[in-house]
Amino acid sequence: MIRRVPHCSHWGAYTLLVEEGRIVGVEPFEHDPAPSAIIQSVTDWAKPDRRILRPMVREGWLAAREGSNRRGRGSERFVPVSWDEATDLVAGEIRRVSRDHGNASIFAGSYGWTSCGRFHHACTLLRRMMNLAGGYTGHVDTYSIAAGPVILRHTLGDERACGGQSNTLDTIAEHSETLLVFGAMSPRTAQSEAGGIGAHYLEGYLRKIAERGVKVIHVSPFREDLPDWTGAEWWPIRPNTDTALMLGLAGEIVLAGRHDAGFLERCTSGSEQLLAYLGGDGDGQAKTADWAAAITGIGAQAIRDLARRLTETRGMITASWALQRAHHGEQPFWAAIALASITGQIGLPGGGMGFGYGSLGGVGAPFVTGKSPAMSQGAKPIDSFIPVARISDMLLNPGGAYSYEGRDRTYPDIRLVYWAGGNPFHHHQDLNRLSDAWTRPETIIVQDPMFTATAKRADIVLPASTSLERNDLSGNKRSDFILAMAKAIDPLGEARSDFDIFNAIAEKLGVAPAFNEGRDEMGWIRHIYTESCDYAAQRLGFEMPDFEAFWAQGYAACPVQQGHTYLAPYRADPAAHPLNTESGRIVLGSDTLARLGYADCRAHPAWIEPAEWLGGAAEGELHLISHQPNGRLHSQLETAEASLADKRGGREQVRLNPADAAGRGIADGATVRLWNARGACLATACLTDAVARGVAILPTGAWFTPAGAGGPELSGNPNVLTLDIGTSAFGQGCSAHTCLVRIEPYEGAAPDAAQTYQHELADICPPQEETSP
C-alpha cells in the first residue's frame, strides 16, 4: 500500500509516494503553477553512496587531539565511534576551547542549505546551542548577497528592496512599459527559495509581461539568463561593467536636461555630488553614452536611445543578486538607485528599481505579512563575527584587522570550527587558499547528511538525517504557504536528526533544559506553527487552520501583500515617512562614506575598475562567470538525474562562444583545462552563441575533487579559480563568481570525477560492518 507523505524542499512542495519504506514517486504540489523538475531528484537523498552513515573521528586527531597533524585532514582514515563517544568528544572540545581561549575562538558560523525545514535548521540549532554555552564567532550577511544589503541599508535605510519587498511582479506586469534587466531574471534560478516555496510565480508574470508587449532590454553576457519567449532585446555586456552602463544612462539623461530635478530635491540627499560626478568633476570625464560604450561594449547610440526611453515611459530597472557578487559589488546596486532617482520613477507602480527578481523563487511574489515559522537562536552573549566570505582571511590572520560598514574590527583566533549543514568547499572562493586555511584550527567538527569535501576534511563527523527521515515544516516571508514536511522513511545508518544531535551535546554541556524547553520534535513543530497562526489571527484577523488540520492537509495559506509599490508612501510624503538613513532620504551622496574615505567605495555611486575584467585582460584571457546550474542548488544532489543531465563526460560544461573556442582549437564536447594563478580545473566544452565573446560560463556546485599535488580539479568546480577578496572595505561581500582565466584543450585521459571522489571516500572510511554499536 502506498502512503502519500506531504513534504517540501528548496525547490518546492511535493507529495512523496512511499511503499514498504521506499520512496517510489514524487508528485508536485497541486497549487504550484510551475513546479521545478529538481523535486524528482530528492529520492537520491535516500541512497547511501555519499551519505555519512555513522559518527567517525580522524585517526590522527583521535591519537593526538589538538596536537594532531592537521594536514592529515582529507587523507587520513576515520575511526568509527559510538554516538555517546562522539558527543563526549564534541562537548569536551567546546569546553576546552571556551576555557583555554574564550568562546570567540569557536567558529560556529555554519552556513548552508541542507534543509528548508524551519525546525531542523542546522545552522540555527547550532547557534542556539552555542549561545547557551557562552557564545561563538559567527558571520553576517550571506554568500548570495552581502555587498547589496550593506549598501542598501546605508542608502535606502533597509534591505527590503533586495529581500523580496520591492515592487511585486504583478505591478510590473500591469504597469511597466520598459523593463531594463541587468543580469538574470530566469525561471532557472527562481526554482529555489530559502525556507522552501509553495508556488513558483516568476514564469507566469514574465509571460504576462511578454503578452502586454513591454519593451524588455536584457543586459547580460549570457542570453539565456532571460527566456527567449519574452522577446527581450539582448545587450551582451562585458562582465562587471553594469555600473558604467547605468551611470552612462544617467549621464545622458542629465546632459539632455530630462532628469527629474524635483524628485532629486525632495526625495534624495547628496544628489549634487552625483550630478557633479556625472558631469566629469573629479576625473575630467563626463559619464556619457560614448564613455559607457567604451567600457561596456554596448553601442553608444543604443545607450542614448534607451536613456530617452527611460524618461518617456514607465521604466523598471532590475538587477540580479549576481551583480553584487563581484569586486566593487556595492556599485551596481547603488548606481541602479541613482538611475531610478534620475528618472524620478521610484514609488510609482511599475517604476523605479528592485533587486533579485529571479535570484530566488519568491522575490517579487506576494510576500507574507504575518510571522514566518522559525526556531529562535536565542540571545548572543558575545559580539564576535566576520563578514560571511572572509573565512580564509580569519583563519590565516588571527588578530588581523578588517573593516565592515565603517567600523574597524579584529579577526578572532579560531581554534575550533563547528560546521553544520553546509559545504564551504563548494561556495567559498579560491578553494586552494581555503585548503591551506583549513589546516589552522585545532579541531574541525562537521555535521551533515552527506560526505562532502568539507566533511572529508573534518576531525569529527556526525551523520545528520535528511529531511526525508524526520518531521519538520517550511515557510518564509517569500512563500505564501506554510508546508508540512512529514517523515517519509527511516534514517539511513546511524543518522540522527539535527535537533537530536544538538540536544545530546547540550545535555553534556549542561544546557539541555534551555535548549529543548521541554519539547520534543513534534512539540516544537506544533509550537512554531501555532506562533504563526496566533500572529495572523491577532494582528491581521487572518484565520489559518489549527495544527491538526494543517498537518493532515499538508499546507496552510498565509496572509500576503499583493500589488505592492516600493516606497510609494515615501514618495507621496517624504517628511511623514522618513527612511532610516543618515539624511532620512535616499542617499546619492554619502557624508558617512565621504568621512571614511574608502578608495573602493566612494561617497557616491562610481565606476571603479575591478581587479579582474576584460578591460584589463592579457591577450588570451577570458572572463569566467560561474552561475547556478539548471539541475541542482549549489552542491546539493550533484549526482542526481537532473544534475547529471547538464554534465558531459562526467564533469561540468563550460559554455563558450564558438569564435573564442575556434581560436583556441577547442571542439564542442572536448575536455578543456581552465586555469589562472590560483588554480586549475577540467570541464567539458559546450559551444553556443548565447555566450558573449570573451566570456566563459561554468556552473557552481561540482563536488571539489582535486587531482593531487599540482593537478587540476577534476569535476569542474570554478571556485578553484575565483578571487578571495572582499567587494570593498565597506561591504566585504563575496567576490566569487567572476574572474579571468585561460582555457585550452586538455591533453591526455582525464580521470572520472565521480569515481575518483568515491574511491577517495572508500580509502578513508571504514566499511559498514566496522560500525560501533
Side-chain angles (χ1 to χ4, degrees):
M1 181 178 176
I2 291 180
R3 286 191 300 123
R4 302 177 61 82
V5 181
H7 211 75
C8 188
S9 69
H10 298 300
W11 307 285
Y14 46 85
T15 297
L16 295 166
L17 307 182
V18 182
E19 185 176 25
E20 296 182 354
R22 293 178 56 252
I23 299 171
V24 296
V26 181
E27 293 179 349
F29 183 44
E30 60 184 309
H31 297 291
D32 190 347
S36 167
I38 301 176
I39 61 173
Q40 301 298 327
S41 292
V42 300
T43 56
D44 264 46
W45 283 331
K47 297 178 180 178
D49 302 22
R50 292 192 174 188
R51 289 286 299 269
I52 303 172
L53 297 175
R54 69 215 70 131
M56 289 182 287
V57 182
R58 181 170 64 89
E59 195 169 46
W61 187 91
L62 196 58
R65 304 295 173 94
E66 64 269 24
S68 74
N69 176 8
R70 301 161 200 170
R71 294 196 176 273
R73 291 174 183 146
S75 59
E76 283 185 5
R77 285 180 61 81
F78 283 102
V79 176
V81 297
S82 69
W83 269 111
D84 188 54
E85 184 177 357
T87 52
D88 269 346
L89 291 172
V90 171
E93 281 302 283
I94 292 171
R95 283 193 297 265
R96 177 186 71 82
V97 175
S98 175
R99 178 191 67 239
D100 296 348
H101 306 285
N103 280 67
S105 289
I106 301 172
F107 183 59
S110 186
Y111 174 94
W113 287 63
T114 310
S115 168
C116 69
R118 298 298 85 190
F119 169 53
H120 290 293
H121 187 243
C123 304
T124 297
L125 292 173
L126 171 59
R127 294 164 191 164
R128 179 182 177 89
M129 181 188 76
M130 288 307 309
N131 280 331
L132 293 168
Y136 64 97
T137 293
H139 74 261
V140 293
D141 302 318
T142 70
Y143 280 87
S144 296
I145 188 158
V150 169
I151 201 65
L152 295 189
R153 290 194 291 265
H154 185 66
T155 57
L156 295 176
D158 57 49
E159 55 195 76
R160 288 179 301 152
C162 69
Q165 295 186 37
S166 187
N167 297 348
T168 46
L169 285 162
D170 52 1
T171 67
I172 298 171
E174 183 177 353
H175 297 286
S176 297
E177 296 169 301
T178 301
L179 178 60
L180 178 53
V181 178
F182 286 90
M185 196 172 180
S186 170
R188 170 180 58 84
T189 50
Q191 293 178 93
S192 306
E193 178 57 68
I197 190 168
H200 295 82
Y201 293 118
L202 177 65
E203 181 174 341
Y205 285 122
L206 283 176
R207 292 194 180 278
K208 289 180 181 178
I209 287 167
E211 290 165 4
R212 274 192 57 233
V214 176
K215 177 71 171 179
V216 182
I217 305 291
H218 179 214
V219 182
S220 170
F222 190 38
R223 188 174 61 218
E224 294 178 7
D225 274 341
L226 196 65
D228 57 3
W229 44 258
T230 60
E233 183 178 324
W234 181 38
W235 288 18
I237 193 170
R238 287 176 182 155
N240 292 10
T241 66
D242 305 83
T243 298
L245 179 54
M246 294 174 190
L247 294 172
L249 288 165
E252 283 293 326
I253 292 170
V254 173
L255 187 65
R258 302 176 67 86
H259 58 294
D260 191 333
F263 181 87
L264 294 176
E265 174 67 26
R266 192 168 58 91
C267 295
T268 74
S269 65
S271 62
E272 63 281 356
Q273 297 177 54
L274 173 66
L275 294 174
Y277 173 72
L278 295 176
D281 284 10
D283 59 7
Q285 175 62 64
K287 310 309 177 289
T288 62
D290 290 321
W291 168 82
I295 295 169
T296 65
I298 303 298
Q301 188 57 49
I303 296 172
R304 281 189 283 269
D305 291 344
L306 178 57
R308 185 174 187 88
R309 183 178 177 88
L310 287 173
T311 64
E312 294 176 340
T313 63
R314 182 63 54 84
M316 180 68 190
I317 303 158
T318 75
S320 297
W321 286 357
L323 268 65
Q324 52 83 63
R325 291 195 295 267
H327 199 202
H328 312 312
E330 297 82 6
Q331 299 310 309
F333 275 31
W334 201 2
I337 297 168
L339 178 56
S341 298
I342 291 287
T343 66
Q345 296 200 32
I346 295 174
L348 297 177
M353 79 289 140
F355 308 97
Y357 297 103
S359 296
L360 284 180
V363 177
F367 56 85
V368 174
T369 56
K371 184 182 187 302
S372 297
M375 187 74 172
S376 171
Q377 298 180 17
K380 297 178 180 180
I382 63 173
D383 175 32
S384 183
F385 70 84
I386 62 166
V388 64
R390 304 271 58 81
I391 294 172
S392 293
D393 287 357
M394 172 186 68
L395 296 180
L396 292 168
N397 300 294
Y402 73 95
S403 61
Y404 176 73
E405 287 200 90
R407 296 186 178 182
D408 294 329
R409 301 185 64 92
T410 301
Y411 287 122
D413 181 8
I414 298 299
R415 304 302 181 100
L416 168 64
V417 172
Y418 194 147
W419 205 282
N423 184 15
F425 279 88
H426 146 63
H427 59 240
H428 198 72
Q429 53 279 352
D430 193 349
L431 292 181
N432 290 318
R433 184 171 187 250
L434 178 64
S435 295
D436 183 34
W438 209 247
T439 67
R440 302 305 175 92
E442 295 168 348
T443 303
I444 295 176
I445 302 162
V446 173
Q447 177 175 318
D448 200 278
M450 312 305 295
F451 230 127
T452 65
T454 306
K456 284 173 62 178
R457 290 160 176 78
D459 298 312
I460 303 171
V461 289
L462 305 176
S465 55
T466 69
S467 70
L468 306 178
E469 300 150 47
R470 60 202 190 194
N471 296 298
D472 211 328
L473 80 172
S474 71
N476 63 87
K477 282 287 187 182
R478 295 188 292 259
S479 174
D480 49 3
F481 294 95
I482 296 177
L483 297 142
M485 299 172 62
K487 178 180 175 180
I489 58 174
D490 289 332
L492 268 66
E494 298 179 33
R496 293 184 179 181
S497 74
D498 285 294
F499 176 78
D500 285 346
I501 295 170
F502 287 121
N503 195 48
I505 298 168
E507 182 74 38
K508 292 180 177 181
L509 291 172
V511 297
F515 179 80
N516 61 48
E517 295 184 21
R519 299 186 184 96
D520 61 8
E521 178 184 72
M522 289 307 297
W524 270 110
I525 294 169
R526 177 187 294 270
H527 174 73
I528 292 168
Y529 176 80
T530 301
E531 285 186 322
S532 295
C533 278
D534 290 347
Y535 186 100
Q538 296 166 13
R539 304 283 189 92
L540 305 172
F542 185 91
E543 292 298 325
M544 298 171 65
D546 64 20
F547 180 76
E548 283 72 20
F550 155 69
W551 197 251
Q553 181 171 259
Y555 66 91
C558 301
V560 296
Q561 171 72 56
Q562 294 178 298
H564 173 69
T565 296
Y566 179 63
L567 293 186
Y570 172 75
R571 178 190 180 92
D573 191 344
H577 302 279
L579 306 180
N580 187 30
T581 63
E582 63 185 32
S583 62
R585 293 184 284 175
I586 298 169
V587 176
L588 300 181
S590 167
D591 294 340
T592 300
L593 284 167
R595 184 175 67 254
L596 292 168
Y598 294 136
D600 57 2
C601 192
R602 300 176 190 169
H604 52 76
W607 159 248
I608 311 170
E609 286 194 20
E612 295 187 6
W613 71 298
L614 287 174
E619 184 177 356
E621 287 186 316
L622 298 174
H623 196 126
L624 179 69
I625 296 172
S626 50
H627 69 172
Q628 277 297 324
N630 294 317
R632 62 177 182 271
L633 167 67
H634 301 311
S635 61
Q636 287 199 61
L637 298 173
E638 194 254 1
T639 57
E641 183 177 353
S643 174
L644 293 176
D646 206 36
K647 295 176 182 281
R648 289 167 77 187
R651 61 191 91 251
E652 296 300 321
Q653 297 190 77
V654 57
R655 288 164 172 80
L656 297 167
N657 187 281
D660 290 324
R664 291 163 175 79
I666 295 171
D668 187 72
T671 301
V672 295
R673 174 176 175 261
L674 296 80
W675 87 100
N676 57 25
R678 292 175 290 277
C681 71
L682 303 185
T684 303
C686 173
L687 310 189
T688 171
D689 62 4
V691 177
R693 288 286 304 271
V695 175
I697 298 177
L698 181 64
T700 65
W703 281 34
F704 180 52
T705 312
E713 197 280 332
L714 300 176
S715 67
N717 189 315
N719 275 339
V720 299
L721 305 163
T722 50
L723 286 158
D724 191 10
I725 57 173
T727 53
S728 76
F730 189 61
Q732 294 287 5
C734 165
S735 298
H737 294 283
T738 168
C739 63
L740 292 177
V741 300
R742 296 181 184 273
I743 305 180
E744 66 182 1
Y746 182 70
E747 302 296 336
D752 181 275
Q755 289 182 10
T756 300
Y757 197 94
Q758 291 303 125
H759 290 157
E760 290 175 352
L761 279 184
D763 287 342
I764 63 175
C765 291
Q768 179 72 33
E769 59 266 26
E770 292 183 23
T771 302
S772 298

